[in-house]
Amino acid sequence: MRSPDVTVQPEISQRERAAMGAANRLKLGLFGANCSSGRAVTMVPERWSGSWSDCVALAQMADEAGIEFMLPIGRWKGYGGDTDYQGATFETVTWACGLLAKTRRLTVFGTVHAPLIPPLIAAKEFVTADHIGEGRFGLNVVCGWNEGEFEMFGATLRDHDTRYDYAEEWLDVIKLAWSPREDFDFDGQFIKLRGVRAKPKPYGGSRPLIMNAGASPTGQGFAIRNCDALFSNISNGISFEETASHVKNVRALARQGGREIDVYTVGVVTCRPTAREAEDYYRHCIVNNADWRAVDNILAMKNITAHSHGPEEFRRIRNHQANGMGGLPLVGDPDAVAREMAQLTAAGLTGIAVSFVNYLDELPYFCAEVLPRLARLGLREKT
Ligand SMILES: Cc1cc2nc3c(=O)[nH]c(=O)nc-3n(C[C@H](O)[C@H](O)[C@H](O)COP(=O)(O)O)c2cc1C
């Protein structure tokens, strides 16, 4: 009998993986659908369920519409408040496996806390997901920041920069396990392994895409050295020039190290036929019916208080947090949303991962109205 790693598979290049099956200049993804309430810290009854049947329906709708990827959140413990915000969450690699089995084109990421899972188990899980998806699995490496979550695992959160040192070794092991190399030893500062053997290899002769969303210089440096993509949170109020210069800088640093890197951001879409309707719905969900107790719990975990940041800045951060945990708000009619997305491409970004209050209810309108506009602007192929 032939072993699974010698089964004939079509070759997939690393470049094809980065393109996620389409030549679109602006790549689109959906962020956060594996968690109850998704990214909107709101009490409105139509908020996202995060149920498996809704996730499958959403993935199939996105697949059909030519959306390139789905990116889950690695979250283990809800934030309380009136809704227990993100209290029900699917583990992301098994979630990805299920969605990959039920879709044809979509890249599905797993978001994995490096310190919480031994690298060899992780490497093999990712290979399994990658074979299920025939080369469509992607990895979002996160190092963790939430102490309460780590306590649930009996794990200790290392100091900030050491988290990234650990993650770099963890990723080195995974890349070695994925490589054609046969048996190997690994002698790192944190990880020591003997006689490692891992088969099969990822699907199609290349490896899954790897991304990270570090914001600090250490986090960004980690992504630049080790990852195919960096997700940067571009907040409201950052100018076009600042965004463009950030993207240029990240790409230049990667090139200095002999690498190429894509830069993505995250956004929160409220798109309605008129600007007025969009703004009204935004205010209804994210201001009048925000789950403020959950917002304050999240901010307290990050040591953000009126005392530490001053009342004015605290109010600004608080409002921003209720809306998609801080993603770029894209609120308006289809022309305005398409125009803002075009600006992101002009600033050099590769793509954007978006969320909605209710993904399934709102994606059809976005696909019907915004996607054709993006195609007319030359940013995406017609679907
Ligand atoms: C797009 C995006 C996705 C992220 N996903 C997660 C996640 O799922 N789980 C998590 O614990 N942290 C997540 N983070 C937090 C980052 O991994 C990182 O800890 C944070 O941006 C702070 O950056 P720093 O570690 O460089 O200080 C995400 C951040 C962004 C911008």
Side-chain angles (χ1 to χ4, degrees), residues 28-35 37-40 48 58 67 69-75 86 95 111 140 211 213 231 233 265-268 324-327 352-356 359:
L28 291 173
L30 298 172
F31 184 28
N34 66 310
C35 300
S37 293
R39 305 249 312 146
W48 183 241
L58 180 67
I67 302 284
F69 65 97
M70 285 181 75
L71 175 64
I73 298 173
R75 174 74 51 246
Q86 292 187 344
W95 178 84
T111 295
N140 174 23
M211 62 156 284
F231 269 68
N233 209 341
T265 194
V266 288
V268 189
M325 301 280 282
I352 181 165
V354 298
S355 55
F356 301 89
Y359 302 78

mmCIF file of all heavy atoms in Angstrom, residues 28-35 37-40 48 58 67 69-75 86 95 111 140 211 213 231 233 265-268 324-327 352-356 359:
data_model
loop_
_atom_site.group_PDB
_atom_site.id
_atom_site.type_symbol
_atom_site.label_atom_id
_atom_site.label_comp_id
_atom_site.label_asym_id
_atom_site.label_seq_id
_atom_site.Cartn_x
_atom_site.Cartn_y
_atom_site.Cartn_z
ATOM 1 N N LEU A 28 -10.340 39.673 -0.043
ATOM 2 C CA LEU A 28 -11.356 39.869 0.993
ATOM 3 C C LEU A 28 -11.511 38.621 1.836
ATOM 4 O O LEU A 28 -11.504 37.499 1.314
ATOM 5 C CB LEU A 28 -12.706 40.194 0.354
ATOM 6 C CG LEU A 28 -12.832 41.556 -0.329
ATOM 7 C CD1 LEU A 28 -14.164 41.646 -1.066
ATOM 8 C CD2 LEU A 28 -12.709 42.690 0.694
ATOM 9 N N GLY A 29 -11.641 38.835 3.125
ATOM 10 C CA GLY A 29 -11.875 37.717 4.030
ATOM 11 C C GLY A 29 -12.937 38.071 5.045
ATOM 12 O O GLY A 29 -13.350 39.232 5.163
ATOM 13 N N LEU A 30 -13.388 37.052 5.780
ATOM 14 C CA LEU A 30 -14.360 37.260 6.857
ATOM 15 C C LEU A 30 -13.669 36.906 8.165
ATOM 16 O O LEU A 30 -13.045 35.849 8.285
ATOM 17 C CB LEU A 30 -15.578 36.356 6.650
ATOM 18 C CG LEU A 30 -16.359 36.615 5.350
ATOM 19 C CD1 LEU A 30 -17.430 35.545 5.158
ATOM 20 C CD2 LEU A 30 -16.983 38.009 5.370
ATOM 21 N N PHE A 31 -13.785 37.784 9.129
ATOM 22 C CA PHE A 31 -13.025 37.667 10.375
ATOM 23 C C PHE A 31 -13.961 37.447 11.555
ATOM 24 O O PHE A 31 -14.919 38.205 11.735
ATOM 25 C CB PHE A 31 -12.218 38.967 10.549
ATOM 26 C CG PHE A 31 -11.298 38.994 11.741
ATOM 27 C CD1 PHE A 31 -10.742 37.842 12.268
ATOM 28 C CD2 PHE A 31 -10.955 40.212 12.330
ATOM 29 C CE1 PHE A 31 -9.877 37.876 13.351
ATOM 30 C CE2 PHE A 31 -10.093 40.273 13.411
ATOM 31 C CZ PHE A 31 -9.564 39.092 13.928
ATOM 32 N N GLY A 32 -13.685 36.401 12.333
ATOM 33 C CA GLY A 32 -14.327 36.284 13.642
ATOM 34 C C GLY A 32 -15.615 35.485 13.718
ATOM 35 O O GLY A 32 -16.276 35.497 14.756
ATOM 36 N N ALA A 33 -15.968 34.747 12.647
ATOM 37 C CA ALA A 33 -17.278 34.087 12.630
ATOM 38 C C ALA A 33 -17.341 32.848 13.519
ATOM 39 O O ALA A 33 -18.421 32.301 13.723
ATOM 40 C CB ALA A 33 -17.663 33.724 11.188
ATOM 41 N N ASN A 34 -16.208 32.390 14.055
ATOM 42 C CA ASN A 34 -16.242 31.196 14.923
ATOM 43 C C ASN A 34 -16.647 31.525 16.363
ATOM 44 O O ASN A 34 -16.707 30.628 17.195
ATOM 45 C CB ASN A 34 -14.862 30.516 14.943
ATOM 46 C CG ASN A 34 -13.809 31.392 15.610
ATOM 47 O OD1 ASN A 34 -13.681 32.556 15.279
ATOM 48 N ND2 ASN A 34 -13.065 30.853 16.557
ATOM 49 N N CYS A 35 -16.888 32.812 16.640
ATOM 50 C CA CYS A 35 -17.217 33.216 18.018
ATOM 51 C C CYS A 35 -18.639 33.764 18.101
ATOM 52 O O CYS A 35 -19.072 34.495 17.193
ATOM 53 C CB CYS A 35 -16.297 34.357 18.470
ATOM 54 S SG CYS A 35 -14.569 33.937 18.470
ATOM 55 N N SER A 37 -21.327 36.342 18.810
ATOM 56 C CA SER A 37 -21.283 37.801 18.632
ATOM 57 C C SER A 37 -20.225 38.256 17.636
ATOM 58 O O SER A 37 -20.153 39.456 17.328
ATOM 59 C CB SER A 37 -21.052 38.569 19.946
ATOM 60 O OG SER A 37 -22.158 38.428 20.789
ATOM 61 N N GLY A 38 -19.410 37.341 17.118
ATOM 62 C CA GLY A 38 -18.396 37.749 16.143
ATOM 63 C C GLY A 38 -17.525 38.837 16.722
ATOM 64 O O GLY A 38 -16.961 38.696 17.809
ATOM 65 N N ARG A 39 -17.432 39.972 16.016
ATOM 66 C CA ARG A 39 -16.559 41.059 16.483
ATOM 67 C C ARG A 39 -17.342 42.244 17.026
ATOM 68 O O ARG A 39 -16.744 43.233 17.440
ATOM 69 C CB ARG A 39 -15.693 41.528 15.314
ATOM 70 C CG ARG A 39 -14.904 40.416 14.657
ATOM 71 C CD ARG A 39 -13.433 40.478 14.872
ATOM 72 N NE ARG A 39 -12.848 41.758 14.645
ATOM 73 C CZ ARG A 39 -11.808 42.233 15.324
ATOM 74 N NH1 ARG A 39 -11.282 41.527 16.298
ATOM 75 N NH2 ARG A 39 -11.302 43.399 15.034
ATOM 76 N N ALA A 40 -18.670 42.169 16.981
ATOM 77 C CA ALA A 40 -19.467 43.328 17.404
ATOM 78 C C ALA A 40 -19.926 43.142 18.854
ATOM 79 O O ALA A 40 -20.649 42.191 19.163
ATOM 80 C CB ALA A 40 -20.677 43.487 16.492
ATOM 81 N N TRP A 48 -24.481 37.857 15.930
ATOM 82 C CA TRP A 48 -24.036 36.594 15.335
ATOM 83 C C TRP A 48 -24.119 35.437 16.333
ATOM 84 O O TRP A 48 -23.613 35.555 17.450
ATOM 85 C CB TRP A 48 -22.601 36.780 14.835
ATOM 86 C CG TRP A 48 -22.020 35.595 14.126
ATOM 87 C CD1 TRP A 48 -20.917 34.900 14.501
ATOM 88 C CD2 TRP A 48 -22.492 34.986 12.925
ATOM 89 N NE1 TRP A 48 -20.665 33.893 13.602
ATOM 90 C CE2 TRP A 48 -21.621 33.916 12.623
ATOM 91 C CE3 TRP A 48 -23.575 35.222 12.067
ATOM 92 C CZ2 TRP A 48 -21.788 33.097 11.507
ATOM 93 C CZ3 TRP A 48 -23.741 34.404 10.958
ATOM 94 C CH2 TRP A 48 -22.863 33.369 10.688
ATOM 95 N N LEU A 58 -22.385 30.365 5.989
ATOM 96 C CA LEU A 58 -21.583 31.551 5.660
ATOM 97 C C LEU A 58 -20.391 31.179 4.778
ATOM 98 O O LEU A 58 -20.111 31.847 3.770
ATOM 99 C CB LEU A 58 -21.086 32.205 6.957
ATOM 100 C CG LEU A 58 -20.226 33.449 6.773
ATOM 101 C CD1 LEU A 58 -21.045 34.588 6.178
ATOM 102 C CD2 LEU A 58 -19.601 33.886 8.099
ATOM 103 N N ILE A 67 -15.148 35.244 -2.204
ATOM 104 C CA ILE A 67 -14.394 35.794 -1.061
ATOM 105 C C ILE A 67 -13.206 34.846 -0.840
ATOM 106 O O ILE A 67 -13.360 33.631 -0.908
ATOM 107 C CB ILE A 67 -15.292 35.813 0.211
ATOM 108 C CG1 ILE A 67 -16.556 36.646 -0.020
ATOM 109 C CG2 ILE A 67 -14.515 36.235 1.453
ATOM 110 C CD1 ILE A 67 -16.411 38.112 0.002
ATOM 111 N N PHE A 69 -10.976 34.304 1.881
ATOM 112 C CA PHE A 69 -10.583 33.546 3.087
ATOM 113 C C PHE A 69 -11.506 33.813 4.270
ATOM 114 O O PHE A 69 -12.258 34.789 4.291
ATOM 115 C CB PHE A 69 -9.125 33.865 3.469
ATOM 116 C CG PHE A 69 -8.872 35.291 3.898
ATOM 117 C CD1 PHE A 69 -8.846 35.635 5.244
ATOM 118 C CD2 PHE A 69 -8.632 36.297 2.961
ATOM 119 C CE1 PHE A 69 -8.591 36.942 5.641
ATOM 120 C CE2 PHE A 69 -8.379 37.607 3.352
ATOM 121 C CZ PHE A 69 -8.359 37.933 4.694
ATOM 122 N N MET A 70 -11.422 32.887 5.232
ATOM 123 C CA MET A 70 -12.073 33.093 6.530
ATOM 124 C C MET A 70 -11.007 32.979 7.614
ATOM 125 O O MET A 70 -10.188 32.067 7.592
ATOM 126 C CB MET A 70 -13.194 32.076 6.753
ATOM 127 C CG MET A 70 -14.417 32.436 5.911
ATOM 128 S SD MET A 70 -15.801 31.320 6.109
ATOM 129 C CE MET A 70 -16.428 31.789 7.720
ATOM 130 N N LEU A 71 -11.034 33.926 8.534
ATOM 131 C CA LEU A 71 -10.037 34.003 9.599
ATOM 132 C C LEU A 71 -10.756 33.953 10.948
ATOM 133 O O LEU A 71 -11.524 34.859 11.274
ATOM 134 C CB LEU A 71 -9.265 35.329 9.448
ATOM 135 C CG LEU A 71 -8.245 35.667 10.531
ATOM 136 C CD1 LEU A 71 -7.107 34.655 10.559
ATOM 137 C CD2 LEU A 71 -7.672 37.076 10.277
ATOM 138 N N PRO A 72 -10.544 32.875 11.719
ATOM 139 C CA PRO A 72 -11.215 32.788 13.023
ATOM 140 C C PRO A 72 -10.404 33.477 14.120
ATOM 141 O O PRO A 72 -9.231 33.812 13.932
ATOM 142 C CB PRO A 72 -11.259 31.281 13.273
ATOM 143 C CG PRO A 72 -9.993 30.783 12.632
ATOM 144 C CD PRO A 72 -9.724 31.679 11.434
ATOM 145 N N ILE A 73 -11.032 33.639 15.256
ATOM 146 C CA ILE A 73 -10.359 34.213 16.421
ATOM 147 C C ILE A 73 -10.006 33.078 17.385
ATOM 148 O O ILE A 73 -10.851 32.219 17.666
ATOM 149 C CB ILE A 73 -11.289 35.228 17.134
ATOM 150 C CG1 ILE A 73 -11.625 36.372 16.181
ATOM 151 C CG2 ILE A 73 -10.649 35.759 18.415
ATOM 152 C CD1 ILE A 73 -12.663 37.331 16.728
ATOM 153 N N GLY A 74 -8.771 33.065 17.851
ATOM 154 C CA GLY A 74 -8.378 32.093 18.862
ATOM 155 C C GLY A 74 -8.801 32.627 20.223
ATOM 156 O O GLY A 74 -8.095 33.422 20.836
ATOM 157 N N ARG A 75 -9.986 32.242 20.665
ATOM 158 C CA ARG A 75 -10.525 32.771 21.929
ATOM 159 C C ARG A 75 -10.999 31.587 22.769
ATOM 160 O O ARG A 75 -11.662 30.695 22.249
ATOM 161 C CB ARG A 75 -11.703 33.715 21.607
ATOM 162 C CG ARG A 75 -12.472 34.248 22.772
ATOM 163 C CD ARG A 75 -11.750 35.316 23.574
ATOM 164 N NE ARG A 75 -11.244 36.378 22.749
ATOM 165 C CZ ARG A 75 -9.925 36.638 22.557
ATOM 166 N NH1 ARG A 75 -9.012 35.923 23.161
ATOM 167 N NH2 ARG A 75 -9.540 37.600 21.768
ATOM 168 N N GLN A 86 -18.364 36.731 23.091
ATOM 169 C CA GLN A 86 -17.450 35.671 22.618
ATOM 170 C C GLN A 86 -17.336 34.534 23.639
ATOM 171 O O GLN A 86 -16.279 33.920 23.803
ATOM 172 C CB GLN A 86 -16.064 36.243 22.272
ATOM 173 C CG GLN A 86 -16.109 37.151 21.057
ATOM 174 C CD GLN A 86 -14.738 37.617 20.571
ATOM 175 O OE1 GLN A 86 -13.746 37.520 21.281
ATOM 176 N NE2 GLN A 86 -14.691 38.138 19.352
ATOM 177 N N TRP A 95 -12.525 23.703 13.424
ATOM 178 C CA TRP A 95 -13.501 24.537 12.696
ATOM 179 C C TRP A 95 -13.071 24.654 11.223
ATOM 180 O O TRP A 95 -13.871 24.439 10.304
ATOM 181 C CB TRP A 95 -13.553 25.904 13.373
ATOM 182 C CG TRP A 95 -14.431 26.970 12.821
ATOM 183 C CD1 TRP A 95 -15.769 27.153 13.066
ATOM 184 C CD2 TRP A 95 -14.021 28.068 11.992
ATOM 185 N NE1 TRP A 95 -16.217 28.288 12.434
ATOM 186 C CE2 TRP A 95 -15.169 28.866 11.773
ATOM 187 C CE3 TRP A 95 -12.820 28.466 11.415
ATOM 188 C CZ2 TRP A 95 -15.138 30.027 10.994
ATOM 189 C CZ3 TRP A 95 -12.781 29.625 10.644
ATOM 190 C CH2 TRP A 95 -13.925 30.386 10.434
ATOM 191 N N THR A 111 -6.422 29.830 13.909
ATOM 192 C CA THR A 111 -5.693 30.820 14.719
ATOM 193 C C THR A 111 -5.211 30.101 15.967
ATOM 194 O O THR A 111 -6.027 29.633 16.776
ATOM 195 C CB THR A 111 -6.615 32.002 15.064
ATOM 196 O OG1 THR A 111 -6.955 32.662 13.841
ATOM 197 C CG2 THR A 111 -5.929 32.988 16.002
ATOM 198 N N ASN A 140 -2.723 31.240 11.338
ATOM 199 C CA ASN A 140 -2.524 32.534 12.003
ATOM 200 C C ASN A 140 -1.891 32.232 13.362
ATOM 201 O O ASN A 140 -2.545 31.677 14.241
ATOM 202 C CB ASN A 140 -3.884 33.246 12.167
ATOM 203 C CG ASN A 140 -3.771 34.531 12.982
ATOM 204 O OD1 ASN A 140 -2.700 35.128 13.085
ATOM 205 N ND2 ASN A 140 -4.890 34.965 13.565
ATOM 206 N N MET A 211 0.396 33.615 8.796
ATOM 207 C CA MET A 211 0.222 35.037 9.092
ATOM 208 C C MET A 211 0.349 35.285 10.596
ATOM 209 O O MET A 211 0.265 34.371 11.408
ATOM 210 C CB MET A 211 -1.132 35.542 8.595
ATOM 211 C CG MET A 211 -2.312 34.861 9.243
ATOM 212 S SD MET A 211 -3.811 35.847 9.219
ATOM 213 C CE MET A 211 -3.498 37.033 10.494
ATOM 214 N N ALA A 213 -0.405 38.784 13.561
ATOM 215 C CA ALA A 213 -0.980 40.127 13.675
ATOM 216 C C ALA A 213 -0.291 40.936 14.760
ATOM 217 O O ALA A 213 -0.936 41.662 15.506
ATOM 218 C CB ALA A 213 -2.480 40.008 13.954
ATOM 219 N N PHE A 231 -1.044 41.062 9.580
ATOM 220 C CA PHE A 231 -2.320 41.771 9.724
ATOM 221 C C PHE A 231 -2.104 42.945 10.660
ATOM 222 O O PHE A 231 -1.727 42.757 11.810
ATOM 223 C CB PHE A 231 -3.390 40.836 10.297
ATOM 224 C CG PHE A 231 -4.154 40.115 9.237
ATOM 225 C CD1 PHE A 231 -3.535 39.154 8.456
ATOM 226 C CD2 PHE A 231 -5.492 40.412 8.996
ATOM 227 C CE1 PHE A 231 -4.232 38.491 7.460
ATOM 228 C CE2 PHE A 231 -6.198 39.749 7.999
ATOM 229 C CZ PHE A 231 -5.574 38.793 7.233
ATOM 230 N N ASN A 233 -3.736 46.332 12.452
ATOM 231 C CA ASN A 233 -4.998 46.966 12.783
ATOM 232 C C ASN A 233 -4.877 48.460 12.485
ATOM 233 O O ASN A 233 -4.195 49.173 13.206
ATOM 234 C CB ASN A 233 -5.287 46.731 14.259
ATOM 235 C CG ASN A 233 -6.753 46.703 14.534
ATOM 236 O OD1 ASN A 233 -7.544 47.186 13.722
ATOM 237 N ND2 ASN A 233 -7.127 46.148 15.658
ATOM 238 N N THR A 265 -5.388 44.268 6.556
ATOM 239 C CA THR A 265 -5.953 44.912 7.734
ATOM 240 C C THR A 265 -7.335 44.333 8.046
ATOM 241 O O THR A 265 -7.806 43.432 7.335
ATOM 242 C CB THR A 265 -6.004 46.444 7.570
ATOM 243 O OG1 THR A 265 -6.254 47.025 8.855
ATOM 244 C CG2 THR A 265 -7.095 46.890 6.592
ATOM 245 N N VAL A 266 -7.943 44.827 9.122
ATOM 246 C CA VAL A 266 -9.270 44.341 9.503
ATOM 247 C C VAL A 266 -10.270 45.496 9.516
ATOM 248 O O VAL A 266 -9.934 46.618 9.903
ATOM 249 C CB VAL A 266 -9.256 43.643 10.885
ATOM 250 C CG1 VAL A 266 -8.565 42.319 10.802
ATOM 251 C CG2 VAL A 266 -8.599 44.494 11.950
ATOM 252 N N GLY A 267 -11.489 45.202 9.089
ATOM 253 C CA GLY A 267 -12.516 46.242 9.016
ATOM 254 C C GLY A 267 -13.860 45.719 9.486
ATOM 255 O O GLY A 267 -14.073 44.513 9.593
ATOM 256 N N VAL A 268 -14.739 46.653 9.779
ATOM 257 C CA VAL A 268 -16.080 46.299 10.244
ATOM 258 C C VAL A 268 -17.070 47.006 9.327
ATOM 259 O O VAL A 268 -17.111 48.235 9.272
ATOM 260 C CB VAL A 268 -16.295 46.769 11.700
ATOM 261 C CG1 VAL A 268 -17.590 46.203 12.238
ATOM 262 C CG2 VAL A 268 -15.140 46.345 12.570
ATOM 263 N N GLY A 324 -16.507 46.083 16.610
ATOM 264 C CA GLY A 324 -15.583 45.116 16.017
ATOM 265 C C GLY A 324 -14.251 45.037 16.721
ATOM 266 O O GLY A 324 -13.234 44.778 16.078
ATOM 267 N N MET A 325 -14.226 45.271 18.023
ATOM 268 C CA MET A 325 -12.988 45.137 18.780
ATOM 269 C C MET A 325 -11.874 45.999 18.200
ATOM 270 O O MET A 325 -10.699 45.683 18.301
ATOM 271 C CB MET A 325 -12.512 43.680 18.790
ATOM 272 C CG MET A 325 -13.496 42.726 19.383
ATOM 273 S SD MET A 325 -13.431 42.766 21.162
ATOM 274 C CE MET A 325 -11.967 41.783 21.460
ATOM 275 N N GLY A 326 -12.261 47.086 17.530
ATOM 276 C CA GLY A 326 -11.238 48.012 17.087
ATOM 277 C C GLY A 326 -10.863 47.966 15.621
ATOM 278 O O GLY A 326 -9.890 48.589 15.228
ATOM 279 N N GLY A 327 -11.605 47.261 14.791
ATOM 280 C CA GLY A 327 -11.295 47.258 13.344
ATOM 281 C C GLY A 327 -11.702 48.562 12.683
ATOM 282 O O GLY A 327 -12.444 49.366 13.261
ATOM 283 N N ILE A 352 -8.286 42.853 3.081
ATOM 284 C CA ILE A 352 -8.934 43.211 4.338
ATOM 285 C C ILE A 352 -9.841 42.065 4.787
ATOM 286 O O ILE A 352 -10.510 41.441 3.956
ATOM 287 C CB ILE A 352 -9.713 44.551 4.185
ATOM 288 C CG1 ILE A 352 -10.381 44.954 5.501
ATOM 289 C CG2 ILE A 352 -10.752 44.496 3.068
ATOM 290 C CD1 ILE A 352 -10.849 46.406 5.525
ATOM 291 N N ALA A 353 -9.811 41.795 6.073
ATOM 292 C CA ALA A 353 -10.720 40.804 6.653
ATOM 293 C C ALA A 353 -11.812 41.584 7.375
ATOM 294 O O ALA A 353 -11.507 42.411 8.236
ATOM 295 C CB ALA A 353 -9.970 39.917 7.642
ATOM 296 N N VAL A 354 -13.055 41.344 6.995
ATOM 297 C CA VAL A 354 -14.138 42.169 7.543
ATOM 298 C C VAL A 354 -15.078 41.343 8.414
ATOM 299 O O VAL A 354 -15.113 40.122 8.341
ATOM 300 C CB VAL A 354 -14.964 42.855 6.415
ATOM 301 C CG1 VAL A 354 -14.085 43.783 5.597
ATOM 302 C CG2 VAL A 354 -15.680 41.844 5.543
ATOM 303 N N SER A 355 -15.833 42.063 9.222
ATOM 304 C CA SER A 355 -16.889 41.421 9.996
ATOM 305 C C SER A 355 -18.155 42.242 9.869
ATOM 306 O O SER A 355 -18.117 43.411 9.438
ATOM 307 C CB SER A 355 -16.471 41.305 11.464
ATOM 308 O OG SER A 355 -16.121 42.568 11.975
ATOM 309 N N PHE A 356 -19.265 41.618 10.201
ATOM 310 C CA PHE A 356 -20.581 42.268 10.190
ATOM 311 C C PHE A 356 -21.255 41.949 11.522
ATOM 312 O O PHE A 356 -20.856 40.997 12.205
ATOM 313 C CB PHE A 356 -21.457 41.683 9.075
ATOM 314 C CG PHE A 356 -20.892 41.822 7.685
ATOM 315 C CD1 PHE A 356 -20.051 40.843 7.153
ATOM 316 C CD2 PHE A 356 -21.216 42.918 6.890
ATOM 317 C CE1 PHE A 356 -19.541 40.959 5.863
ATOM 318 C CE2 PHE A 356 -20.705 43.036 5.599
ATOM 319 C CZ PHE A 356 -19.867 42.052 5.089
ATOM 320 N N TYR A 359 -23.225 38.218 9.926
ATOM 321 C CA TYR A 359 -22.541 37.955 8.647
ATOM 322 C C TYR A 359 -23.511 37.414 7.582
ATOM 323 O O TYR A 359 -23.490 37.846 6.435
ATOM 324 C CB TYR A 359 -21.429 36.929 8.833
ATOM 325 C CG TYR A 359 -20.351 37.274 9.822
ATOM 326 C CD1 TYR A 359 -20.554 37.138 11.190
ATOM 327 C CD2 TYR A 359 -19.095 37.691 9.390
ATOM 328 C CE1 TYR A 359 -19.547 37.408 12.106
ATOM 329 C CE2 TYR A 359 -18.074 37.964 10.301
ATOM 330 C CZ TYR A 359 -18.314 37.823 11.655
ATOM 331 O OH TYR A 359 -17.313 38.098 12.555
#
